[in-house]
Coordinates of all heavy atoms in Angstrom, one line a residue:
R53 N -44.3 50.9 48.3 CA -43.8 49.9 49.2 C -42.3 50.2 49.5 O -41.8 50.0 50.7 CB -43.8 48.6 48.5 CG -43.2 47.4 49.3 CD -43.4 46.1 48.5 NE -42.8 45.0 49.3 CZ -42.7 43.8 48.8 NH1 -43.0 43.4 47.6 NH2 -42.1 42.9 49.6
N54 N -41.5 50.7 48.5 CA -40.1 51.0 48.8 C -40.0 52.1 49.8 O -39.1 52.1 50.7 CB -39.4 51.5 47.5 CG -39.2 50.4 46.5 OD1 -39.2 49.2 46.9 ND2 -39.1 50.7 45.2
T55 N -40.9 53.1 49.8 CA -40.9 54.2 50.8 C -41.2 53.6 52.1 O -40.5 54.0 53.1 CB -41.9 55.2 50.4 OG1 -41.6 55.8 49.1 CG2 -41.9 56.4 51.4
L56 N -42.1 52.8 52.3 CA -42.4 52.1 53.6 C -41.2 51.4 54.0 O -40.8 51.4 55.3 CB -43.6 51.2 53.4 CG -44.9 51.9 53.3 CD1 -46.1 50.8 53.0 CD2 -45.3 52.7 54.5
N57 N -40.5 50.6 53.3 CA -39.4 49.9 53.6 C -38.2 50.8 54.1 O -37.5 50.4 55.0 CB -38.8 49.0 52.5 CG -39.8 47.8 52.3 OD1 -40.5 47.3 53.2 ND2 -39.9 47.3 51.0
E58 N -38.1 51.9 53.5 CA -37.0 52.8 53.9 C -37.5 53.5 55.3 O -36.6 53.7 56.1 CB -36.9 54.0 52.8 CG -36.3 53.5 51.5 CD -36.4 54.5 50.4 OE1 -36.8 55.6 50.7 OE2 -36.0 54.1 49.3
L59 N -38.7 53.9 55.4 CA -39.1 54.5 56.6 C -39.2 53.5 57.8 O -38.9 53.9 58.9 CB -40.5 55.2 56.4 CG -40.5 56.3 55.5 CD1 -42.0 56.8 55.3 CD2 -39.7 57.5 56.1
F60 N -39.6 52.2 57.5 CA -39.8 51.3 58.6 C -38.9 50.0 58.2 O -39.6 49.0 57.8 CB -41.2 51.0 58.7 CG -42.1 52.1 59.0 CD1 -42.8 52.8 58.1 CD2 -42.1 52.8 60.3 CE1 -43.6 53.8 58.3 CE2 -42.8 53.9 60.5 CZ -43.7 54.4 59.5
P61 N -37.7 50.1 58.3 CA -36.8 48.9 57.8 C -37.0 47.7 58.6 O -36.7 46.6 58.2 CB -35.4 49.5 57.9 CG -35.5 50.6 59.0 CD -36.9 51.2 58.8
N62 N -37.5 47.8 59.8 CA -37.7 46.7 60.7 C -39.1 46.1 60.6 O -39.4 45.0 61.4 CB -37.4 47.0 62.2 CG -35.9 47.5 62.4 OD1 -35.0 46.9 61.7 ND2 -35.7 48.5 63.2
H63 N -39.9 46.6 59.8 CA -41.2 46.1 59.5 C -41.3 45.3 58.2 O -40.8 45.7 57.2 CB -42.3 47.2 59.6 CG -42.5 47.8 61.0 ND1 -41.5 48.5 61.6 CD2 -43.4 47.6 61.9 CE1 -42.0 48.8 62.8 NE2 -43.1 48.3 63.0
N64 N -42.1 44.3 58.3 CA -42.3 43.5 57.0 C -43.5 44.0 56.3 O -44.7 43.9 56.8 CB -42.5 42.0 57.3 CG -42.6 41.1 56.2 OD1 -42.2 41.5 55.1 ND2 -43.2 40.0 56.3
T65 N -43.3 44.5 55.1 CA -44.5 45.0 54.3 C -44.6 44.1 53.1 O -43.6 43.5 52.5 CB -44.1 46.4 53.7 OG1 -43.0 46.4 53.0 CG2 -44.0 47.4 54.8
N213 N -50.0 65.2 52.0 CA -49.6 65.1 53.3 C -50.9 65.4 54.3 O -51.1 64.5 55.2 CB -48.5 66.0 53.7 CG -47.1 65.6 53.2 OD1 -47.0 64.4 52.8 ND2 -46.2 66.4 53.1
A216 N -53.2 62.4 54.1 CA -52.6 61.2 54.8 C -52.7 61.4 56.3 O -53.1 60.4 57.0 CB -51.2 60.9 54.4
L220 N -54.9 58.9 58.9 CA -54.3 58.3 60.1 C -55.0 58.8 61.5 O -55.2 58.0 62.3 CB -52.8 58.6 60.1 CG -52.1 57.9 59.0 CD1 -50.6 58.4 59.0 CD2 -52.1 56.4 59.1

Side-chain angles (χ1 to χ4, degrees):
R53 182 183 177 183
N54 290 336
T55 302
L56 287 174
N57 286 332
E58 290 171 4
L59 291 173
F60 306 102
N62 297 322
H63 289 73
N64 182 25
T65 59
N213 283 345
L220 293 174

